Amino acid sequence: MASVLQIEQLKKSFGERLLFEGLTLNLDEGEKVAVVAVNGAGKSTLLNIIAGVEDYQAGQITFRRDLRVGYLWQNPAFKEGQSVLEACLDADTKAKEAITRYERAIATGEGLEEAMAAMDAASAWEYEQQAKELLTRLAITDLTQRVETLSGGQIKRLALAQVLASRPELLILDEPTNHLDLKMTEWLEEYLSASHMTLLMVTHDRYFLDRVTTRIIEIDDHRLYAYRGNYTYYLEKRQEHIDL
């Protein structure tokens, strides 16, 4: 399988507090990988570093060329004044611009042919429809509602819909099942398992881990350890290692 992400000798610390060093990881196309560790060991920090929103002291991170990366933050936020649908479409700038141009052409009756061609080129027809379907799946049905009026749970579900709609090749998820009910969680399990996206995530939902992951990586004592298999397999192998 082709590699989508390579991390070599990564080091991260906060002052004298070392989170990890010498961290090396390779992600192959289509893998579903979860990061596990005790609280405070650096799981979310590692995702932030890979997503490019946090720095690090040493090492190298290399993405496959032109890789589309989507990141679900643990505590996402949106610009005030946007509608739910506008916020959901915000992740794909080219498609959003094409949709805005098309809507303007419909309203004015000018440049409709060119606007439709732009929609085709950006695959914007499918993008808007998929966004609406994802929002509905996640129980957000008023697409005109302003984002500042949403609850914390609705914000997290909107962010999840946004990142899925953006069609990333590498999907990074930080606690994706927070604020999801059982039906939504089961749907997300099926969606991710059937997807060809490469997945890297952090979650405390062990049942979700069991059903979705193909590999577990553990941060322990500032190092990274990999286990091929789901969360149950990881627990078994980890216990065998402890018992030695």
Side-chain angles (χ1 to χ4, degrees):
M1 286 187 182
S3 174
V4 299
L5 170 66
Q6 289 181 314
I7 301 174
E8 300 177 4
Q9 299 299 313
L10 192 67
K11 177 182 178 180
K12 176 64 178 179
S13 61
F14 293 102
E16 296 184 356
R17 181 185 167 220
L18 177 67
L19 285 184
F20 43 76
E21 64 178 347
L23 191 151
T24 297
L25 172 67
N26 181 75
L27 286 186
D28 288 332
E29 189 175 289
E31 276 197 292
K32 307 289 190 288
V33 179
V35 184
V36 300
V38 298
N39 289 338
K43 301 185 295 295
S44 291
T45 298
L46 176 59
L47 298 193
N48 285 339
I49 290 171
I50 295 170
V53 297
E54 196 162 332
D55 63 2
Y56 51 97
Q57 282 74 41
Q60 184 172 348
I61 299 175
T62 306
F63 293 96
R64 191 184 70 199
R65 187 175 180 180
D66 298 324
L67 184 73
R68 296 194 310 274
V69 180
Y71 183 31
L72 175 69
W73 293 64
Q74 190 172 118
N75 298 297
F78 294 94
K79 294 179 290 187
E80 289 190 6
Q82 288 184 308
S83 71
V84 163
L85 184 58
E86 287 170 339
C88 193
L89 295 174
D90 226 5
D92 190 325
T93 304
K94 183 181 288 188
K96 183 185 178 185
E97 289 175 352
I99 292 167
T100 301
R101 181 178 175 184
Y102 175 72
E103 290 174 345
R104 187 183 305 119
I106 290 291
T108 63
E110 298 177 359
L112 183 58
E113 187 174 337
E114 294 83 355
M116 292 176 69
M119 289 283 287
D120 289 336
S123 300
W125 306 105
E126 298 89 346
Y127 178 50
E128 183 173 19
Q129 184 58 37
Q130 184 184 27
K132 291 176 179 178
E133 291 175 359
L134 289 165
L135 289 166
T136 300
R137 284 282 190 180
L138 296 169
I140 300 176
T141 54
D142 183 356
L143 305 187
T144 64
Q145 185 176 358
R146 297 296 168 183
V147 294
E148 59 266 27
T149 67
L150 298 176
S151 68
Q154 288 173 318
I155 287 288
K156 186 64 180 277
R157 298 200 301 276
L158 170 57
L160 177 58
Q162 182 197 59
V163 74
L164 294 177
S166 69
R167 299 163 289 189
E169 295 165 302
L170 171 59
L171 177 61
I172 304 172
L173 302 176
D174 197 348
E175 298 293 353
T177 62
N178 283 5
H179 307 291
L180 301 188
D181 62 21
L182 180 59
K183 184 178 179 180
M184 294 176 199
T185 301
E186 290 176 344
W187 167 80
L188 184 60
E189 288 170 359
E190 294 173 4
Y191 184 94
L192 295 176
S193 296
S195 170
H196 296 297
M197 292 183 293
T198 305
L199 173 64
L200 181 66
M201 69 173 173
V202 168
T203 178
H204 288 91
D205 187 336
R206 62 167 297 173
Y207 300 104
F208 189 81
L209 286 172
D210 256 347
R211 295 183 180 112
V212 176
T213 55
T214 58
R215 181 156 60 118
I216 302 292
I217 56 176
E218 180 185 27
I219 301 173
D220 184 35
D221 194 24
H222 316 302
R223 300 287 179 177
L224 193 70
Y225 302 89
Y227 300 82
R228 291 277 178 187
N230 63 12
Y231 189 69
T232 296
Y233 177 84
Y234 151 74
L235 290 177
E236 293 171 353
K237 292 301 177 181
R238 188 174 189 276
Q239 190 59 50
E240 289 176 8
H241 177 74
I242 292 171
D243 292 341
L244 288 178

